[in-house]
Amino acid sequence: DAKTTQPNSMESNEEEPVHLPCNHSTISGTDYIHWYRQLPSQGPEYVIHGLTSNVNNRMASLAIAEDRKSSTLILHRATLRDAAVYYCILRAFNTNAGKSTFGDGTTLTVKP
Amino acid sequence: DGGITQSPKYLFRKEGQNVTLSCEQNLNHDAMYWYRQDPGQGLRLIYYSQIVNDFQKGDIAEGYSVSREKKESFPLTVTSAQKNPTAFYLCASSMPQGAVSTEAFFGQGTRLTVV
C-alpha cells in the first residue's frame, strides 16, 4: 500500500472549522483516498472517500489536491463528539475494504 | 439493526491459556477481518477471510488462529504462543473486492488483558 503521512495531533475550538491534512505523495492512479475516524474505545467508522474530485457528505468534506499528492478532511463545525483519531488511508480500486493499512492517524482534540 | 457484534467487551486471561474472541455480523458480507490495536497506535491486520472456509494471514498472524465455518461468524483464538496478547482487538467486515460499497464496518472491539 502507498504510504500516508498525517500530523500526530491537532486541536480545534468547538463550532469552528477543522482542516485535517494528509500527504500521500506516492499515490497511484487507481488509489482511492479514504478517511475513517475512531472514537475512544470504539471501532473505526467510515467518514468519506474520493478519487479526484472534492466530495461532500453529511459528516464532512474531502478536498483533494489537483496532483492528488495530498488531501484535506474538513469538518465544517467541530463538536465535542468529533474528538477522535482520524485515519487517512489509500486503497486501490478493486481491493478488499478491510485490508487497508491504518497508520497512527491524527488525534483531534476539540476544546469547548 | 445490521452490524457487527464482538463479545465480550472486556476479557481477562491467565498467562498460558488460549482464549477465543467472538465476532458475528448480520450485514451479509463475504469478507471479514481481525485487527490488533496497541495503545496510541494504528491497526494491524491479523487474519482476513474473503469467503466461508477460507482465510489468509495478515501482517501479524503468529500466535493467533481463526476459523470461518459460517458466513456470519469469524472467531479469533489467541493462543498461548502469542508473546504479548494484551491489546484491543477489532473485527470488521466488508463486501468482497470489486463490490460497489467501499467501506469496512467495524465492531466495538474486545479489550484483552493477560493477568
Side-chain angles (χ1 to χ4, degrees):
Chain A
D1 291 337
K3 186 176 170 56
T4 63
T5 304
Q6 300 176 253
N8 287 336
S9 62
M10 291 186 67
E11 281 190 357
S12 170
N13 293 319
E14 199 175 9
E15 298 193 4
E16 290 185 357
V18 182
H19 291 234
L20 297 165
C22 181
N23 288 322
H24 29 78
S25 58
T26 60
I27 190 170
S28 72
T30 58
D31 284 340
Y32 283 75
I33 303 157
H34 292 250
W35 284 81
Y36 284 75
R37 72 177 187 181
Q38 185 176 20
L39 301 173
S41 297
Q42 295 189 30
E45 63 174 343
Y46 167 83
V47 177
I48 200 167
H49 79 280
L51 183 62
T52 56
S53 304
N54 294 345
V55 184
N56 301 297
N57 67 20
R58 63 176 180 81
M59 290 180 72
S61 295
L62 176 60
I64 301 172
E66 200 168 328
D67 64 5
R68 300 212 323 129
K69 293 185 177 182
S70 65
S71 61
T72 302
L73 180 71
I74 302 166
L75 307 179
H76 295 287
R77 287 185 65 192
T79 70
L80 297 178
R81 288 175 295 179
D82 290 322
V85 179
Y86 286 80
Y87 298 99
C88 170
I89 294 156
L90 301 182
R91 186 162 69 84
F93 172 74
N94 207 30
T95 59
N96 285 9
K99 284 187 66 183
S100 305
T101 299
F102 287 74
D104 293 343
T106 297
T107 300
L108 176 65
T109 302
V110 180
K111 296 182 288 184
Chain B
D1 283 340
I4 299 182
T5 302
Q6 290 187 241
S7 62
K9 190 171 174 126
Y10 299 96
L11 190 56
F12 295 87
R13 185 197 97 177
K14 290 184 179 178
E15 238 180 283
Q17 289 182 337
N18 292 355
V19 63
T20 298
L21 282 58
S22 169
C23 178
E24 304 277 330
Q25 55 99 359
N26 60 4
L27 298 167
N28 201 32
H29 285 165
D30 286 308
M32 296 187 74
Y33 317 83
W34 274 105
Y35 289 91
R36 171 186 172 131
Q37 186 173 36
D38 292 292
Q41 297 186 24
L43 281 63
R44 291 185 289 170
L45 184 64
I46 304 172
Y47 267 99
Y48 66 98
S49 168
Q50 299 192 67
I51 197 167
V52 173
N53 292 324
D54 181 66
F55 48 83
Q56 307 294 331
K57 292 182 179 180
D59 301 320
I60 56 164
E62 186 175 347
Y64 300 97
S65 66
V66 294
S67 62
R68 187 83 188 278
E69 297 176 4
K70 298 187 299 181
K71 187 176 185 177
E72 303 81 15
S73 179
F74 191 40
L76 173 74
T77 297
V78 184
T79 75
S80 57
Q82 170 50 235
K83 299 282 186 251
N84 185 19
T86 295
F88 188 48
Y89 290 88
L90 286 158
C91 179
S93 73
S94 72
M95 297 289 283
Q97 62 190 53
V100 174
S101 174
T102 62
E103 62 180 288
F105 293 80
F106 285 82
Q108 294 301 295
T110 292
R111 195 167 297 278
L112 173 65
T113 302
V114 174
V115 297

